[in-house]
Structures are given as structure tokens and as C-alpha cells.
Amino acid sequence: MSGKERETEPAYQRLSRELRAQISAGTYRDGLQLPTESELAQQHGVSRQTVRRAFHDLVSEGIVYRVPGRGTFVSENNGRYLRHHGSIEDLMNLSRDTTMEVVSPLQRRMDIEAASRLRLDTDVVYTVVFRRFHEGIPFVQTTVHLPETVARHIVDAPEMAVGSVSAYTVIGLLEPLLDSPIVEAAQSITVAPATSDVAKDLDCEPGHPMLRVDRLYSNADELPNELSTSYFLPEQYTYRVTLRRGAH
Amino acid sequence: MSGKERETEPAYQRLSRELRAQISAGTYRDGLQLPTESELAQQHGVSRQTVRRAFHDLVSEGIVYRVPGRGTFVSENNGRYLRHHGSIEDLMNLSRDTTMEVVSPLQRRMDIEAASRLRLDTDVVYTVVFRRFHEGIPFVQTTVHLPETVARHIVDAPEMAVGSVSAYTVIGLLEPLLDSPIVEAAQSITVAPATSDVAKDLDCEPGHPMLRVDRLYSNADELPNELSTSYFLPEQYTYRVTLRRGAH
DNA sequence: CGTTATTTGTGCGTATGTATT
DNA sequence: AAATACATACGCACAAATAAC
């Protein structure tokens, strides 16, 4: 899609992606888990160091853990989709192994609540609704509201049309086009029942308990640039975040 | 635990520790920041790969960022101040306007799952269950599991006895007593139905959809020191985090 | 109880690619 | 165009932890 052709994926990323997929498909389910570094190196025709680099990423995502002298094991998480969000960059890279499908196109709308949360002085917002798939299964429905000044950058983008399937995130599309970069995302996480729209898009029962995540992205001037509301299927998704202590 | 005295610190850890200290002391404040990989390698008598390993850790901690062809820079705002608004300090200060009441005292128990998540080589853990009130209303029930080596510090504390009401957090009580400070908390957030125990403690229906938060606190040696599982009443509680980005 | 094989951890040297200045 | 600096990748060696004998 609309992009640089000449991008070759690094070997360690390709490997970690494959392993991630195999793990979530349950290939290495029980007992002593994954192949050793040497085995993987040989199987994939890469050096042991490259395998180590791939494992390093999986460890930091919390997908596997390693024990010297024993091996590498899948962290048991019921096979749910695990995503590690520790920074805004992580949110923008959500597209790495998911695809998004537009359910309702980016269009002008009146929405008092969204407008007020975006701190606008009108009721006009631009709204797009999409769902996101992981390995063919829809696991989240997201509604994004944008101020008119922000929306105009992408209102004609093909990725925002109905039925469009792409590997982007809205914030990832938007961010390079903004005058002032996004520096902060305030999140609210709670539990909410699935609305009928959500239930339809995610193929679950209306009223089903969902993980609801609201995000307000703001730029360096502390102006909100995007408000998103996501309903995650808890059976398919766990939200992970790592908090660290300042360097003191 | 943490007993071994004469463990030699790996070179990359020593280097990243030194850099962390220098950064937080303001040594590399302005302009184009840190020395190049080659310079550091020469200065410290290590290979460039070792420098890269150290930088890799600093990047993942959000302390520095790197630009190919330009160099390595201190993330503004980091090092001295916090980058996540929802930080470990916030978790420790949860007690600010809440009180905790012990439901089941800190006692020795066998728990295979908790032990394995704490990466122990036995099945023995110490467990305490309590609920937390805000303005007289119980809004969360928490089960905390500790390794024996950690639990011994507080096993006789009056705050851990049944019915004890206090304004502490377990991690806040523990932290000053540990050899190695807590530097990281990995959280998993999902939705789960209330168990009968939870329902009883929080006065809700069994099976009621709850916000479930698992936290694994680890010290500077990356050893887990506390595992907690909390069930929050979504009607009473919303989880909020702010993610920030380093300098552009 | 030590020995040995296996597996991950650390570290170095080198080569090549890519982005920036 | 050239120099600089980070990114990726390979290969090798040895250390440390673990498990089996």
C-alpha cells in the first residue's frame, strides 16, 4: 500500500514476528517450550546472535521468558493477544501485526460530548469507526474523533474510506502531518457492556463485558488532537503496560 | 536471597549504570548529547557491541533516544523527572485517600501458579488478601503473593493481621526494607467475572464483570518481589495512565 | 559427588548497510 | 562526494546455570 517498496524487514524482526505468530497460534503450547537458539539459527539460516536479538524483543514484550541452562518458555497467557504499551510509540506501532478495517468512514458530524472532550468551541467533529483484526479475528472496535483542523489532513485519504483495509493506525497516519508532534496520551481504562454496534462489529452478544479504553492524544501545546474510544474483547486481548521508576 | 556477594557485574550493565548516573547528574545536558559508540568503547575499554547493549537498555528505559547518522541524545525531561504520569510512585501512594482492610492475613501457602509467576523454585508463597475503601465504599479486592525471602520482612507487622485497617500499601511497606529497590511494575489489565470471595468482600453479585489488574513488581536485578491481583468494581473505579513521548 | 552435555549469557572483532551532516 | 554515526548481521570464544548420569 502506498509506501516505500525498498523496505526489507530485518531478519530478527521477521523471526520474532514468526515466533509471535506461532506462539499465539499455540504451536508451542505445553511442557518445555521453544526450540533452542542453535536450532532456530540453523532452521532459519541466521546466526545465533540474530535469534538472541529476536528473543530479546519477545522477552521485553512479556511473551516468553528464558532460564539459563534450561531454555525458552512461553509465558502462559491463555493464548490471548498480548500487546505491550509502554509509550506513545507503542500505540503508533499497534499496526505491526494487526490490520484495520473501516466500518464507518471519516465524516463530519455533530457530537457535543466528543467536541467538549477535545476542548473545541464548536460541536463539529470528524469521526471514523473501524475494527482491528489479529490473525483474522476482530478483537477491537474503535471510534476516533478529530477536530476539523486535524481531520482535513486525512479526510481524503483512501485509508479512511468504508471497507478500506490497511495496516495503519490513525495516529500513525496523522502524526507526520501535524504542525506540533503528539507528546502525550491520557488513557482511561474501565469495563463497559458492548453496545449493539460493537457487538455487531466484533460478533459478540450485546451487553457483553468489554475492556473500554479511552485515549486523548495531545500535542506539545497541550491541545487535544485525537480522541479515541476502543472496546476490546477481553477474551482476545489483554492490555499490558510497564511502569518504571524515574532515574532518581 | 540476593545473597551472592562477589558477583561481577556485566560490563554493559556497569556502563549503562554509569551513563544513567551521569545523565541524571546533568553531565550531558544540552546540544548534541552523548559520546558516540566508538568513543565510549575506547574510553571504557570495551567493544562497540557492549556499548550498544548498554544503550539498548537505556533506550528501552526511555532515558535516551538515538538517531541514525546523528547520535544519541538524552530524552528531555527524563532522567530527572518521570516520564509516565502513572508511575510506580503513584502505585505506592495509592494510600493517599484510601484505607486498606486485611481480609485474610499474611500466611504461608502453597500456590503453584503464583510461585511460577514469581519465578520461584518452590511452591511456597506468602499470601495476604485485603480490600481497599474510598470514602467508606470498598472498591477493590487485592491478593498479594510474596516470596518467602521478601515476606519475612513484614510477616509479623501488625498491618498484616486480620481486620487491620491502615493507610499503607504492601509495596510501600515493603520497599524500604528490601536490599534492591523496586524499579519496575509490569501490569496486565483485563476483564474478569467476580469470584465468590470478591463478591463477598465488595458486596456485589458473583460473576459481576470486574476490572482485573495483575501487577508484577521487580527490583533492579529483575527479580520479581511481589505479585498482586486486584479486582476493581468498574462502577467505582477507572484506571488512568498518561503516556509521554521523549523529545522528538 | 563430581563429570559432562546442553542451553543461555556475555563479550569481542569484523563487515556491510543506511541515514545524516 | 565524503565522513560520521547508528543498524544489522555473522562468527567465535568462554562463562554460568541446569540437568542427567
Side-chain angles (χ1 to χ4, degrees):
Chain A
M1 8 247 101
S2 92
K4 313 307 175 67
E5 279 328 290
R6 198 51 266 141
E7 247 171 57
T8 30
E9 188 180 25
Y12 72 88
Q13 277 185 26
R14 202 182 81 89
L15 179 54
S16 68
R17 190 169 46 75
E18 280 185 23
L19 291 171
R20 220 178 277 117
Q22 290 181 349
I23 288 168
S24 95
T27 309
Y28 305 111
R29 187 147 323 157
D30 41 14
L32 320 192
Q33 311 297 55
L34 292 114
T36 67
E37 294 179 353
S38 311
E39 285 170 355
L40 283 172
Q42 202 164 10
Q43 287 170 23
H44 292 79
V46 297
S47 80
R48 202 189 128 210
Q49 299 311 315
T50 303
V51 177
R52 283 185 61 72
R53 180 72 161 83
F55 271 148
H56 192 278
D57 289 355
L58 296 181
V59 167
S60 80
E61 288 170 34
I63 294 177
V64 305
Y65 66 95
R66 321 193 70 194
V67 184
R70 289 217 290 142
T72 304
F73 308 85
V74 176
S75 318
E76 63 293 274
N77 276 294
N78 317 328
R80 264 187 297 202
Y81 180 52
L82 253 188
R83 203 64 180 146
H84 180 96
H85 297 308
S87 69
I88 290 188
E89 284 80 357
D90 290 338
L91 297 182
M92 294 183 184
N93 288 336
L94 179 62
S95 55
R96 187 176 290 293
D97 48 8
T98 68
T99 56
M100 112 180 189
E101 179 196 276
V102 174
V103 174
S104 165
L106 183 63
Q107 57 189 315
R108 188 184 156 106
R109 191 177 293 185
M110 306 296 238
D111 189 321
I112 298 177
E113 192 201 331
S116 93
R117 293 183 65 184
L118 284 166
R119 291 205 256 132
L120 302 177
D121 48 10
T122 72
D123 292 340
V124 176
V125 296
Y126 281 66
T127 303
V128 57
V129 182
F130 55 89
R131 51 184 183 163
R132 202 172 280 283
F133 293 77
H134 175 62
E135 295 186 349
I137 300 174
F139 69 98
V140 57
Q141 190 238 43
T142 302
T143 303
V144 171
H145 302 283
L146 304 171
E148 184 155 29
T149 50
V150 172
R152 65 179 164 80
H153 290 111
I154 59 166
V155 72
D156 291 323
E159 289 86 357
M160 293 292 109
V162 195
S164 161
V165 175
S166 65
Y168 288 98
T169 60
V170 174
I171 195 65
L173 262 182
L174 267 178
E175 218 264 347
L177 306 172
L178 298 174
D179 304 326
S180 174
I182 299 293
V183 296
E184 184 180 297
Q187 303 188 98
S188 260
I189 305 176
T190 187
V191 176
T195 63
S196 58
D197 281 348
V198 168
K200 186 157 54 84
D201 289 343
L202 300 184
D203 193 27
C204 67
E205 295 295 316
H208 186 73
M210 308 286 288
L211 190 67
R212 174 176 162 157
V213 179
D214 288 23
R215 292 196 185 105
L216 189 63
Y217 294 88
S218 300
N219 65 16
D221 304 325
E222 302 200 349
L223 293 177
N225 275 167
E226 176 185 328
L227 170 67
S228 80
T229 302
S230 297
Y231 288 86
F232 291 91
L233 271 174
E235 292 81 6
Q236 302 288 339
Y237 182 86
T238 294
Y239 184 95
R240 285 191 100 220
V241 62
T242 299
L243 302 180
R244 287 205 180 76
R245 189 202 296 264
H248 177 51
Chain B
M1 158 129 19
S2 79
K4 312 316 167 75
E5 284 323 297
R6 204 43 276 152
E7 251 170 55
T8 37
E9 188 179 24
Y12 72 89
Q13 275 185 26
R14 201 182 77 92
L15 180 54
S16 67
R17 191 169 44 75
E18 281 185 23
L19 290 171
R20 222 178 277 115
Q22 290 180 352
I23 288 168
S24 95
T27 308
Y28 305 111
R29 185 140 334 154
D30 43 13
L32 320 191
Q33 311 295 55
L34 293 113
T36 68
E37 294 179 352
S38 310
E39 284 170 356
L40 283 172
Q42 201 164 10
Q43 287 171 24
H44 291 79
V46 298
S47 82
R48 208 190 120 208
Q49 299 311 317
T50 303
V51 177
R52 282 184 63 70
R53 180 75 161 81
F55 271 150
H56 192 280
D57 289 355
L58 295 182
V59 168
S60 82
E61 288 170 32
I63 294 177
V64 304
Y65 66 97
R66 320 192 72 191
V67 183
R70 288 217 289 143
T72 304
F73 307 86
V74 176
S75 308
E76 272 174 35
N77 201 10
N78 278 348
R80 339 194 43 161
Y81 299 103
L82 304 173
R83 38 192 200 302
H84 298 149
H85 223 187
S87 66
I88 289 189
E89 283 80 355
D90 289 341
L91 297 181
M92 292 183 184
N93 290 334
L94 181 61
S95 54
R96 185 174 296 286
D97 51 5
T98 66
T99 56
M100 115 180 185
E101 178 196 278
V102 175
V103 174
S104 165
L106 183 63
Q107 58 189 316
R108 187 183 156 105
R109 190 178 291 186
M110 305 296 237
D111 188 322
I112 297 177
E113 194 202 331
S116 102
R117 294 182 63 184
L118 284 166
R119 306 265 184 271
L120 300 178
D121 48 8
T122 72
D123 294 339
V124 176
V125 296
Y126 280 66
T127 302
V128 59
V129 182
F130 55 88
R131 52 183 182 165
R132 200 172 282 284
F133 294 76
H134 177 62
E135 296 184 350
I137 300 174
F139 69 99
V140 57
Q141 189 237 44
T142 302
T143 303
V144 171
H145 302 283
L146 304 171
E148 184 155 31
T149 50
V150 171
R152 64 178 163 80
H153 291 112
I154 58 166
V155 72
D156 292 324
E159 289 86 358
M160 293 292 109
V162 194
S164 160
V165 175
S166 65
Y168 288 99
T169 60
V170 174
I171 195 66
L173 261 181
L174 267 178
E175 219 265 346
L177 306 172
L178 299 173
D179 304 326
S180 175
I182 299 293
V183 297
E184 186 180 294
Q187 302 190 97
S188 271
I189 305 177
T190 187
V191 176
T195 64
S196 57
D197 282 349
V198 168
K200 185 156 55 82
D201 289 343
L202 300 185
D203 194 25
C204 66
E205 295 294 316
H208 186 73
M210 308 286 288
L211 190 67
R212 174 176 162 157
V213 179
D214 288 24
R215 291 197 184 105
L216 188 63
Y217 295 86
S218 300
N219 65 17
D221 303 325
E222 302 197 349
L223 294 175
N225 273 355
E226 176 184 328
L227 169 67
S228 80
T229 302
S230 297
Y231 288 87
F232 291 91
L233 270 174
E235 293 80 6
Q236 303 288 338
Y237 181 85
T238 296
Y239 184 93
R240 289 198 181 83
V241 197
T242 300
L243 302 180
R244 288 178 199 285
R245 142 133 80 184
H248 173 31

